[in-house]
Amino acid sequence: MPEPTTPPLGGAVLDDLGVRLHDGVGTLRVWSQSASSVELVLFDEDDLDWETATLPLKRRAGGVWEVTTELLQPGARYALRVDGPHGPGNTFNPNTLLLDPYCRGLAQGNGYEQWRSVVIVDGFDWGGIEKPRTPLDETVIYEGHVKGLTKRHPDVPAALHGTYAGLAHPAMVSYLRELGVTAVELLPVHAFVPEPRLLERGLTNYWGYNTLNFFTPHTAYATEAARNAGPEAVLAEFKGMVKLLHEAGIEVILDVVYNHTSEEGIGGPRSSLRGIDNARYYRQQPDGAYIDTTGVGNTVNTATAAAARLVLDSLRYWASEMQIDGFRFDLATALGRGATHEYDPEHPLLLAIRDDPALQDVKIIAEPWDVGLGGWQTGNFPDGWSEWNDRYRDRARNFWLSDIDYARRASAPVGIGGFANRLAGSANTYSEERGPLASVNFVTAHDGFTLHDLVSYDVKHNEANGEHNRDGADVNRSFNHGVEGETDHPAVLAARRKAMRNLMGTLLLSAGIPMITAGDEFGRSQQGNNNAYCHDSPLTWLSWEHEPWQQDLRAHVALLTRLRAENPALRPARYARLGEHVPEASEMDWYDQDGRTMAVEQWNDPRNRTLQYVASSIPHDGESNRILLIVHGTEAPIDVRLPDDIENATAFVSLWSSADETPAQDERRHLPGDVLPISGTSMQLFRVE
């Protein structure tokens, strides 16, 4: 791991927390400012209820407790007992066995809270395979669930279904490469546990946003053979997955949950931080009541140096020892709240994540909100961060779905200006310094409707979650195209298919970083459930048996990712400036349906929902690339006249059309000034020659 050039959060006193093996012994260091005593408890390897030794830790400077012993050997099972004062904010209990927050391995005994830390030896033979280091502008993210991706895959051996090894199987690697994605973004793989309330209802936490430990991969995603062999084998299987994906040129991004833990609110499980130093690890009022900006009971207090350092050290471990390529931070606003619990874009942790030498080659992506006061911070993260762009999501859905729904009953409510802004990189949301690559564009994500359900349901259908359909978002900007849910009506089905193609086309032809939700490329459904977090079942597992229309949709997506890769004009790294030469930007010209430069009054006129968009790349060197994109946002067909005043343009070569059920195999040439018939609610892409 590279040495930082500036002192890390909390200074050297917080270095080397957890277990470090050296000279035939092990040293355990634990931080607790408030504790009065800390004990190391060791257990039999096979019987995790059998205590074999207990040793006291000595208090050192800065609230760090330490012990060195030959009993801490590779594979040793251990826990902590911590005692301290009573009173507001403190929840010490010397009888509770606690996990070391820095442990690299876990073993589970009997019962929900009967976990033990395991001493792990780092190291792995990477065989010379290095991180792909895909540039941001070339990145296409594929967000998926480790288990759900391969649980039903017919070409993955049954023993590997739903596992790390299954994701790295040649069948999956080949699929990802053919689809054209450059990175898989995995829903949480930090060790997690289901909430007791879900277990009582016969459900589980499928998504994994309930972290038990920040350094350990989730054991249940390993093969049975690895689980039986122990934590070291689970770790090796995870690293093997990363190695094989890297060998194929595919990056691995982790969805990480540092904003809260599985200890929930006061009265919830006490497994680690709550028993070690509750008053400092969690945000609280003076009387000890939790300040919950995450909606799950607790919020990690990153205003405390030790808590912020815990996050940073975890990231450094995953980026170096596990060779992870990037992180998507769940409810990232919570991480940027200071001592007064207000969000600060200059928060030391946010800047440290960006600036730490060990993290210089990783992608850092914020979910730029939480549920606390002032929690919505889209566009307000520091330079160097990218963000999930919910404004992009909402505008894309509005333009192709809710606006069309409204227009069927009256007339389109808005023009095309707002949509064009999102298409061109959301310059009204991100600063010039950050540029379009600050925006991670998405139409769907793991939470919310799938792409298929977005065009098939007007309202959510979450009854199976056991909360009387009260959970999940009520505002989805969806449109069922005339029938709620399943139907065999040909016109409705055709309209839905085209809407999916329009949304995928928008996503993959927009400036910014596109993120595809796994299964959307072939139109998977969750039967209208927009909050399927608690279902580990065929409802959430991807089906790999596809009808012809699904195969066609997947072919469209693969073509779009290829066209994005081949045309730099579609993926600028900078915003253009009028009258200036800005390398890595794309100069943009906008035309109306008659081939004339768009007039100011046309942008927001609800009667005008058609535009032609010419983007010309400005490379550092080499030839410029130019594309023309036609967007038509009403259901009535229209004639569009191609521009005839584009400098040095001699032809427009057709590359893709959302009006086609199956991607066209031939490239058709059109001349400047030609008039083309454009189908209702459709897009067409051309290369400008």
Side-chain angles (χ1 to χ4, degrees):
M1 181 181 294
E3 291 298 323
T5 57
T6 56
L9 293 168
V13 70
L14 295 178
D15 286 352
D16 297 329
L17 294 180
V19 173
R20 294 293 184 272
L21 300 173
H22 57 97
D23 305 319
V25 299
T27 295
L28 170 66
R29 286 165 51 84
V30 179
W31 181 86
S32 177
Q33 188 68 49
S34 306
S36 59
S37 68
V38 180
E39 290 183 332
L40 165 65
V41 185
L42 291 123
F43 298 86
D44 181 80
E45 182 176 347
D46 298 315
D47 185 350
L48 297 182
D49 293 323
W50 179 9
E51 298 181 15
T52 59
T54 301
L55 299 172
L57 277 68
K58 293 183 179 180
R59 186 177 185 118
R60 306 299 190 192
V64 173
W65 299 74
E66 183 177 298
V67 65
T68 298
T69 173
E70 62 184 11
L71 298 178
L72 285 172
Q73 295 294 322
R77 274 62 171 158
Y78 69 101
L80 306 171
R81 285 197 181 104
V82 184
D83 199 4
H86 298 283
N90 292 318
T91 57
F92 292 108
N93 185 333
N95 297 315
T96 302
L97 294 168
L98 303 168
L99 290 174
D100 171 10
Y102 279 77
C103 71
R104 267 50 165 178
L106 290 173
Q108 185 174 16
N110 298 317
Y112 179 74
E113 298 179 35
Q114 299 302 307
W115 292 87
R116 304 289 180 259
S117 303
V118 180
V119 178
I120 295 291
V121 178
D122 288 339
F124 183 75
D125 181 8
W126 293 96
I129 304 300
E130 298 184 352
K131 295 182 178 182
R133 294 181 174 85
T134 307
L136 274 179
D137 71 296
E138 297 177 15
T139 297
V140 178
I141 298 172
Y142 188 72
E143 188 207 34
H145 188 283
V146 169
K147 183 174 184 178
L149 285 168
T150 64
K151 179 63 177 175
R152 304 170 73 183
H153 200 300
D155 297 327
V156 173
L160 306 186
H161 280 171
T163 67
Y164 300 125
L167 180 55
H169 186 272
M172 276 303 302
V173 171
S174 176
Y175 178 83
L176 295 170
R177 286 177 59 85
E178 290 173 4
L179 188 61
V181 299
T182 69
V184 289
E185 180 176 306
L186 301 177
L187 268 64
V189 298
H190 287 174
F192 65 88
V193 291
E195 296 88 336
R197 63 177 178 82
L198 290 176
L199 296 176
E200 292 170 0
R201 299 207 304 265
L203 300 170
T204 190
N205 189 320
Y206 173 67
W207 287 349
Y209 293 86
N210 203 44
T211 307
L212 178 70
N213 176 266
F214 294 141
F215 287 82
T216 310
H218 191 58
T219 301
Y221 294 157
T223 57
E224 183 179 5
R227 297 197 305 270
N228 291 338
E232 299 85 352
V234 172
L235 197 61
E237 183 178 319
F238 183 93
K239 292 178 179 179
M241 171 195 72
V242 175
K243 177 181 177 180
L244 289 172
L245 289 170
H246 282 179
E247 189 175 27
I250 298 170
E251 293 187 316
V252 181
I253 298 172
L254 300 186
D255 193 334
V256 286
V257 188
Y258 293 114
N259 58 79
H260 74 280
T261 74
S262 61
E263 291 182 307
E264 302 185 11
I266 293 294
R270 178 175 19 223
S271 58
S272 188
L273 302 182
R274 175 172 292 144
I276 293 173
D277 199 331
N278 180 71
R280 287 172 170 78
Y281 272 120
Y282 293 119
R283 294 190 180 275
Q284 300 172 38
Q285 302 285 4
D287 63 359
Y290 275 6
I291 297 173
D292 178 13
T293 72
T294 64
V296 292
N298 68 63
T299 305
V300 173
N301 186 8
T302 53
T304 301
R309 181 66 177 274
L310 174 64
V311 173
L312 187 63
D313 286 345
S314 170
L315 292 168
R316 299 180 84 216
Y317 175 75
W318 287 91
S320 56
E321 180 63 27
M322 311 290 265
Q323 290 289 288
I324 293 303
D325 304 281
F327 303 93
R328 177 267 189 189
F329 294 84
D330 179 64
L331 301 181
T333 297
L335 303 180
R337 292 183 180 271
T340 60
H341 314 299
E342 296 177 349
Y343 174 75
D344 177 8
E346 300 296 309
H347 190 287
L349 177 58
L350 300 184
L351 300 184
I353 291 171
R354 180 193 66 188
D355 297 335
D356 193 287
L359 303 177
Q360 290 308 292
D361 66 348
V362 304
K363 296 171 171 64
I364 50 176
I365 302 169
E367 181 184 39
W369 52 80
D370 65 12
V371 300
L373 186 65
W376 187 72
Q377 295 292 335
T378 303
N380 200 27
F381 271 70
D383 186 21
W385 282 73
S386 297
E387 304 172 24
W388 273 24
N389 189 348
D390 56 321
R391 289 180 171 181
Y392 177 95
R393 174 201 63 198
D394 293 349
R395 180 64 73 173
R397 291 184 180 190
N398 280 347
F399 187 80
W400 293 117
L401 299 176
S402 54
D403 286 359
I404 303 303
D405 179 23
Y406 192 90
R408 285 190 180 185
R409 292 176 278 110
S411 59
V414 297
I416 204 167
F419 177 82
N421 180 278
R422 299 301 163 193
L423 192 70
S426 297
N428 63 341
T429 300
Y430 301 102
S431 67
E432 182 176 329
E433 292 73 22
R434 297 180 68 190
L437 298 179
S439 177
V440 174
N441 299 330
F442 67 108
V443 174
T444 67
H446 62 274
D447 54 343
F449 280 142
T450 65
L451 182 68
H452 172 278
D453 292 355
L454 194 65
V455 304
S456 305
Y457 294 89
D458 278 355
V459 296
K460 64 186 181 183
H461 296 268
N462 297 355
E463 291 81 4
N465 296 0
E467 299 182 39
H468 307 289
N469 208 35
R470 291 193 297 263
D471 64 304
D474 291 315
V475 179
N476 296 283
R477 296 176 167 84
S478 60
F479 177 34
N480 67 18
H481 291 84
V483 179
E484 186 72 359
E486 295 299 316
T487 182
D488 57 4
H489 194 291
V492 172
L493 293 174
R496 290 176 177 178
R497 291 193 298 270
K498 186 164 61 171
M500 286 189 276
R501 295 192 295 269
N502 283 328
L503 288 164
M504 274 297 186
T506 300
L507 177 64
L508 290 166
L509 301 178
S510 293
I513 304 169
M515 184 186 79
I516 301 168
T517 303
D520 277 356
E521 73 274 18
F522 51 76
R524 81 175 185 97
S525 176
Q526 288 180 170
Q527 300 171 22
N529 192 320
N530 74 351
N531 191 34
Y533 75 103
C534 54
H535 296 281
D536 185 359
S537 72
L539 180 71
T540 50
W541 305 335
L542 269 62
S543 171
W544 295 94
E545 297 179 359
H546 301 151
E547 298 177 14
W549 72 266
Q550 293 179 292
Q551 297 170 11
D552 288 340
L553 179 58
R554 186 176 70 239
H556 274 281
V557 175
L559 174 58
L560 286 163
T561 59
R562 178 171 65 80
L563 292 173
R564 182 179 183 86
E566 293 173 350
N567 292 277
L570 293 168
R571 41 185 178 83
R574 302 291 176 196
Y575 293 127
R577 290 193 295 269
L578 188 63
E580 295 186 35
H581 182 83
V582 182
E584 298 183 290
S586 287
E587 292 181 347
M588 302 167 189
D589 295 294
W590 306 88
Y591 299 89
D592 63 17
Q593 68 188 63
D594 297 317
R596 297 182 298 231
T597 299
M598 286 275 283
V600 173
E601 61 272 12
Q602 289 180 291
W603 285 106
N604 298 312
D605 186 346
R607 296 169 298 179
N608 180 53
R609 289 173 59 87
T610 306
L611 64 76
Q612 302 185 72
Y613 163 49
V614 176
S616 305
S617 67
I618 307 175
H620 276 295
D621 48 36
E623 295 183 3
S624 178
N625 163 245
R626 289 189 293 181
I627 60 92
L628 167 68
L629 180 65
I630 298 176
V631 178
H632 176 50
T634 66
E635 290 192 292
I638 194 173
D639 288 336
V640 169
R641 183 177 182 272
L642 297 175
D644 60 7
D645 63 349
I646 301 175
E647 185 176 0
N648 297 323
T650 59
F652 301 93
V653 180
S654 63
L655 301 177
W656 174 78
S657 172
S658 68
D660 296 334
E661 288 281 358
T662 302
Q665 300 299 312
D666 59 322
E667 294 184 348
R668 298 176 299 279
R669 296 174 64 86
H670 304 278
L671 299 177
D674 281 357
V675 176
L676 304 183
I678 304 297
S679 301
T681 53
S682 67
M683 307 173 72
Q684 290 197 32
L685 179 69
F686 303 83
R687 182 177 64 252
V688 182
E689 294 185 344

